[in-house]
Amino acid sequence: MNYQETINWMFNQLPMYQLQGASAYKKDLTNAILLVNHLGNPQEKLKSIHVAGTNGKGSTSHMLSSILQVAGYKVGLYTSPHLKDFKERIKINGIEISESFVCDFINSNKIFFEANDMSFFEMTVGLAFNYFVKEKVDIAIIEVGMGGRLDATNVITPLISVITNIALDHTQFLGDTLEAIAFEKAGIIKPGIPGVIGEYTPETKPVFLAKAKENHSVIYFASELISENYPSDLIGDYQVHNKKTVIETIAVLNSQNEFKISEAKIKSGLLNVVKNTGLEGRWQQLGEFPKIICDTAHNKNGLEIVMKQIQKEKFNTLHIVLGVVNDKDLDEILPLFPTNAVYYFCKPNIPRGLETTILQEKARKHHLSGMAYSSVTEAYSQSRNNSTKNDFIFIGGSTFVVAELPLNKGL
């Protein structure tokens, strides 16, 4: 199979959460362990940092990668989901995995994958581990897909376990309380391995402390860190918390005496995250007159911060292009959106995308008014046609809405 055929096979024939939802979620690590055993346990040959959390884990992972790259290390970066192309999920020093490596890996292991009903996510994790070992990376930043305890990435024993924050999301899988979700995320904390917690609440802190005590692990709470707010090219307000998490993680890494990262390298790495890693979709500016911003925030915690940041902007009229997936609790997120905006409702082009008319009708009940459009592209185009140079356009509600935008065309 060529690259496109390989990707189509992975997407269409095997369960994948971002397309199918609940049917792709597995209840234990049996398959993940079977897979890494089949591959010769590449994860045991990797030095890694494991990153979990409800929000911010992608930004945190990319910041860590950028800093370590600037410090002169060969850095593997595994994240999900991708925006435009599957290869975005697996990078070394900001360069995506090659199409030929993806094809060779899938084709050579296809019989095993089929025989053992490997999920899209399990295959991709195995591919990343295999690639990073073969390319001899110095360190790999591994982002959890969902949860932590039962995530396919949780077969690694990292140098540091990082949990950015806890909020209510994926409650159908992870539990419907902060304590329950924290328990799942804390599942990445390994015996004797230090953990860095980005943010905590009165409900989640005891869960982290209990897990640390059980595993004889030292826990660092980054939110208690008093440090300079280093500037970064990731400019969303929420990045303040992520930067603290990253700085604390680098400090712990330095204390282990395997890696040496100076303050100058930290500053340079934070200033050049997009350039070094290719991260997109985090409070990303797509236009200037009118100002156009997109963001992948999609749950209550993330959207609250983004909506507050929008209100800090100066504009005549606010235009919001909005689309969501069909398992989103609309009664939870729609009240966060301003009623004085003009809305352009759309459906992300995936099977889990919520039908536009349903979103429009639900939004109307929350006093959000606007027209329904057949695609993200049409909604975005109409928002631009209706705007003047002193207006503000925001596009979001789902990672998959942002994925359909022309992100790399600049201003």
Side-chain angles (χ1 to χ4, degrees):
M1 297 186 293
N2 62 27
Y3 176 70
Q4 196 55 56
E5 291 168 340
T6 299
I7 295 303
N8 289 344
W9 179 81
M10 293 175 72
F11 273 67
N12 295 332
Q13 299 197 26
L14 294 179
M16 182 175 67
Y17 173 72
Q18 72 185 57
L19 293 178
Q20 294 181 246
S23 65
Y25 187 68
K26 298 194 175 180
K27 297 295 185 182
D28 58 48
L29 291 173
T30 301
N31 261 24
I33 294 168
L34 187 67
L35 173 61
V36 292
N37 285 340
H38 168 74
L39 296 174
N41 289 297
Q43 80 285 359
E44 294 179 356
K45 303 167 186 144
L46 288 174
K47 294 176 180 176
S48 62
I49 297 175
H50 206 185
V51 183
T54 302
N55 294 307
K57 57 184 182 290
S59 295
T60 297
S61 296
H62 283 79
M63 287 182 190
L64 287 169
S65 181
S66 180
I67 290 168
L68 286 159
Q69 287 171 229
V70 170
Y73 296 105
K74 188 174 185 178
V75 186
L77 178 61
Y78 172 76
T79 58
S80 62
H82 61 269
L83 285 175
K84 300 291 187 181
D85 189 294
F86 172 82
K87 300 191 302 295
E88 297 168 28
R89 294 171 179 249
I90 303 169
K91 300 178 181 179
I92 295 177
N93 283 12
I95 300 173
E96 296 174 0
I97 189 171
S98 68
E99 293 184 359
S100 61
F101 198 101
V102 174
C103 292
D104 290 346
F105 178 82
I106 297 299
N107 291 335
S108 62
N109 292 286
K110 187 168 179 278
I111 294 173
F112 173 84
F113 294 152
E114 291 176 321
N116 293 282
D117 191 28
M118 290 288 157
S119 73
F120 173 96
F121 193 74
E122 287 160 347
M123 288 191 301
T124 307
V125 168
L127 169 61
F129 292 169
N130 183 270
Y131 181 59
F132 294 154
V133 168
K134 288 197 172 181
E135 292 297 316
K136 297 181 172 60
V137 299
D138 296 312
I139 190 168
I141 313 300
I142 306 295
E143 180 193 341
V144 166
M146 182 172 64
R149 182 174 65 92
L150 301 178
D151 189 78
T153 62
N154 203 30
V155 294
I156 64 175
T157 300
L159 299 174
I160 307 169
S161 300
V162 180
I163 301 172
T164 57
N165 56 39
I166 304 296
L168 295 176
D169 197 23
H170 301 308
T171 54
Q172 66 271 48
F173 307 112
L174 305 180
D176 56 7
T177 67
L178 292 176
E179 292 93 337
I181 295 174
F183 175 79
E184 293 298 326
K185 308 282 187 187
I188 71 166
I189 299 173
K190 302 295 195 306
I193 302 299
V196 173
I197 309 300
E199 300 173 76
Y200 63 84
T201 67
E203 297 91 344
T204 63
K205 189 173 185 178
V207 178
F208 297 135
L209 291 173
K211 188 67 175 179
K213 183 177 180 181
E214 173 192 333
N215 283 335
H216 305 286
S217 301
V218 179
I219 290 287
Y220 301 85
F221 292 99
S223 58
E224 298 173 357
L225 180 70
I226 300 173
S227 66
E228 176 187 350
N229 183 17
Y230 295 114
S232 174
D233 57 343
L234 301 185
I235 57 175
D237 286 355
Y238 50 81
Q239 300 297 1
V240 172
H241 302 293
N242 295 331
K243 283 187 284 187
K244 281 192 172 187
T245 305
V246 166
I247 291 164
E248 186 64 67
T249 302
I250 294 296
V252 175
L253 189 64
N254 273 332
S255 72
Q256 295 176 340
N257 297 317
E258 285 196 65
F259 296 84
K260 291 296 179 187
I261 303 101
S262 68
E263 185 175 18
K265 302 301 184 186
I266 293 172
K267 289 181 176 180
S268 177
L270 289 174
L271 277 172
N272 295 282
V273 180
V274 174
K275 175 185 173 184
N276 291 338
T277 70
L279 178 65
E280 293 187 307
R282 274 66 170 185
W283 196 259
Q284 182 174 349
Q285 186 167 349
L286 305 181
E288 193 167 5
F289 298 108
K291 187 172 184 179
I292 305 171
I293 295 288
C294 68
D295 196 278
T296 56
H298 57 275
N299 55 39
K300 181 180 179 182
N301 180 258
L303 286 168
E304 278 180 330
I305 299 171
V306 169
M307 291 303 116
K308 287 177 182 176
Q309 187 162 359
I310 288 175
Q311 295 307 320
K312 295 178 183 178
E313 298 284 340
K314 293 181 179 179
F315 48 78
N316 289 341
T317 302
L318 173 61
H319 305 261
I320 296 182
V321 178
L322 181 64
V324 299
V325 291
N326 59 22
D327 56 0
K328 193 60 59 182
D329 185 347
L330 295 179
D331 289 324
E332 181 178 67
I333 67 167
L334 289 178
L336 305 175
F337 285 84
T339 57
N340 61 345
V342 179
Y343 285 85
Y344 304 78
F345 300 108
C346 56
K347 174 190 173 185
N349 188 26
I350 62 168
R352 286 175 57 226
L354 181 67
E355 291 299 331
T356 310
T357 52
I358 298 174
L359 175 59
Q360 182 187 34
E361 181 58 32
K362 195 74 173 180
R364 188 178 291 121
K365 293 178 181 178
H366 291 276
H367 311 291
L368 309 180
S369 301
M371 298 292 290
Y373 296 88
S374 60
S375 68
V376 172
T377 301
E378 184 186 6
Y380 177 49
S381 177
Q382 194 59 48
S383 73
R384 297 191 69 170
N385 290 341
N386 292 349
S387 301
T388 66
K389 67 178 183 178
N390 294 319
D391 289 353
F392 186 94
I393 301 174
F394 174 78
I395 311 101
S398 169
T399 299
F400 308 109
V401 169
V402 174
E404 296 183 44
L405 298 173
L407 296 177
N408 55 3
K409 292 187 177 179
L411 305 183

